[in-house]
Structures are given as C-alpha cells and as structure tokens.
Amino acid sequence: ALVSGRGHVFEFANRRCVKMVGHRRLLGRPVREALPELDGQEVLQVLDTVFATGQPLELFERPVRLTRGARADEERFFNLVYQPLLDHDGATESIAVVANDVTELVASREDVKRAAAERDTERRRLLAVLDQSPLGITIVEAPTGRLLFANSRAGEIYGRSRPSRDLHEYVAEWGGFDRNGRKLPVDEWPLAQAITRGERVESEGIWIEHAKGPSPIIRSRTWSSMAG
C-alpha cells in the first residue's frame, strides 16, 4: 500500500492488501478512517513515526488486530516494511508499506514450542515416577553410552548418588564382576551389550562392588535393559 500526507491517505492498495483487511474500501481514505481498529496499535503509531522522521523501519512478526466484516477482531502476525518517499526538500511525502502475513509460521512455531514443553513435562513426570521405583533404573543414550538418568534406588545399590557421565565411567566407578569374580570390561557389561546388540539383555546375574558397608561385593538382582 501507499499512503500520503500526515493523515496517511491511501493512494494505492493492491488486491492482496485489500483482501488482508477484509475487502474494505481504502483508496482516498485516511488509514484511521478506513481501518479504525488500528487506532492505538503499533502498526499505526509507526506510520506517524516514519512520517515525522523520514527514516524507514522494519517490524517482524508483529501482532495486528483486524476487523473483517461482521466478525470480531482477529489477531494476525505480519512482517512490515515502512519506506518513506521524500519530496525535493527532504520532507516525507508518502510512505510505502509492505506487509507479509506470517501468522501460520508463528502459529506453527508456537505449536512446536507447546509440544516441546508438553514432552518436557511428561519426561519430568516419568523420571519422578522412575525415581520412586523399588528397582534400580538407569537410562543410557544409544549409541554414545552417555548416562542420562539413574534413579535413587540405583544409587543405593551401588552406594553412589552421582551418576557418571558415560558408560566407561559408569563401569569404572560402579564396578561389576562375573560369577567367578572377574572384573567385567565395558563391552561385557549388560547395559553395553544391550546398546551394541540392540536387543534385550535380561536375567544376567552379575556381582557389583558397593562403595560402602561391611561387604565390598554384593549380588545384583536381575538386570534388564534395552537399547534405544
């Protein structure tokens, strides 16, 4: 659209602009008269600023309330460019306004944010439940072996409350042994087997080294883990 003078009278509006505002008559009318709902909104205040300063301005993803026909005000989001056109004396004569409706883009991004927030909430709820489990539970990222979670019971079993950062540290600090007392290397640890094989490992008895207590070695309960 092109608006002129201090009153911002519409000199030109293309079909897309007319459609954006609900097919109202624009040409020859001041913006405040043609689109009264813009009064007090940033989009109109910026027109005044650009006319007074003669400096172009850009706005990104700004909300604009528009009244279309008999419907109530509808909020849309726009990227806007205000380009002043100056006369020979350098005073603002008119302003070209380019508007790009990005409502769907903003809405889709907000949907993604909401979905991520919901997933985070569900994750925290799940971890809270797992932390109360009477079974020792750990969650490890595959295939990196990075330890993501160890519940309170796992810490009690091993006598350590701080989970290691990765599987190598996990095995080194939370040592495990086979039935003959041989220390298990990383690739023989049940959790590592589940990650590398991509299959379930269960009912594999191991001995574990406890950090505290009179007996340095205790028998582990059934171990069940799944890669992924």
Side-chain angles (χ1 to χ4, degrees):
L2 183 67
V3 296
S4 64
R6 193 172 299 277
H8 314 307
V9 177
F10 279 102
E11 288 188 6
F12 170 79
N14 69 355
R15 286 181 295 177
R16 179 60 180 164
C17 177
V18 174
K19 182 179 179 181
M20 280 181 176
V21 300
H23 299 281
R24 284 176 279 183
R25 184 172 66 84
L26 301 178
L27 297 186
R29 304 177 70 190
V31 172
R32 284 179 170 83
E33 177 186 313
L35 306 172
E37 69 272 21
L38 295 184
D39 191 32
Q41 294 192 56
E42 181 186 29
V43 62
L44 188 53
Q45 295 169 350
V46 171
L47 271 178
D48 293 335
T49 300
V50 172
F51 187 85
T53 64
Q55 298 297 316
L57 282 174
E58 293 180 274
L59 302 178
F60 298 97
E61 298 182 2
R62 290 301 207 275
V64 179
R65 295 188 312 278
L66 290 171
T67 301
R68 302 185 182 188
R71 292 184 292 178
D73 285 0
E74 177 184 0
E75 185 176 73
R76 307 289 295 180
F77 288 84
F78 292 90
N79 289 341
L80 297 148
V81 177
Y82 297 80
Q83 180 61 54
L85 305 178
L86 309 180
D87 61 19
H88 294 296
D89 298 324
T92 304
E93 189 173 57
S94 56
I95 301 173
V97 182
V98 180
N100 181 25
D101 191 334
V102 293
T103 304
E104 282 68 29
L105 174 64
V106 172
S108 63
R109 188 167 60 243
E110 291 302 314
D111 288 341
V112 170
K113 289 181 180 178
R114 281 193 293 271
E118 290 172 0
R119 287 195 300 271
D120 184 62
T121 298
E122 291 302 317
R123 176 181 178 275
R124 285 187 280 108
R125 287 175 180 169
L126 174 61
L127 294 182
V129 171
L130 295 180
D131 196 53
Q132 300 301 316
S133 173
L135 303 176
I137 299 173
T138 56
I139 300 176
V140 176
E141 183 182 68
T144 65
R146 185 166 63 94
L147 190 67
L148 303 177
F149 171 79
N151 71 349
S152 299
R153 180 56 181 152
E156 292 172 3
I157 291 174
Y158 288 91
R160 293 172 172 84
S161 58
R162 180 185 64 83
S164 301
R165 288 177 298 177
D166 58 48
L167 192 60
H168 284 78
E169 291 182 359
Y170 179 92
V171 173
E173 295 179 14
W174 299 28
F177 303 83
D178 65 16
R179 297 174 187 272
N180 298 317
R182 180 180 63 90
K183 188 173 180 62
L184 292 176
V186 174
D187 59 352
E188 292 184 27
W189 195 267
L191 190 56
Q193 293 177 9
I195 292 174
T196 56
R197 297 176 187 172
E199 60 186 30
R200 193 179 189 91
V201 180
E202 59 183 324
S203 300
E204 184 168 329
I206 62 172
W207 296 74
I208 57 176
E209 184 177 2
H210 197 276
K212 302 176 183 178
S215 176
I217 298 178
I218 62 174
R219 181 68 180 275
S220 73
R221 300 184 66 183
T222 300
W223 183 290
S224 177
S225 56
M226 178 70 74

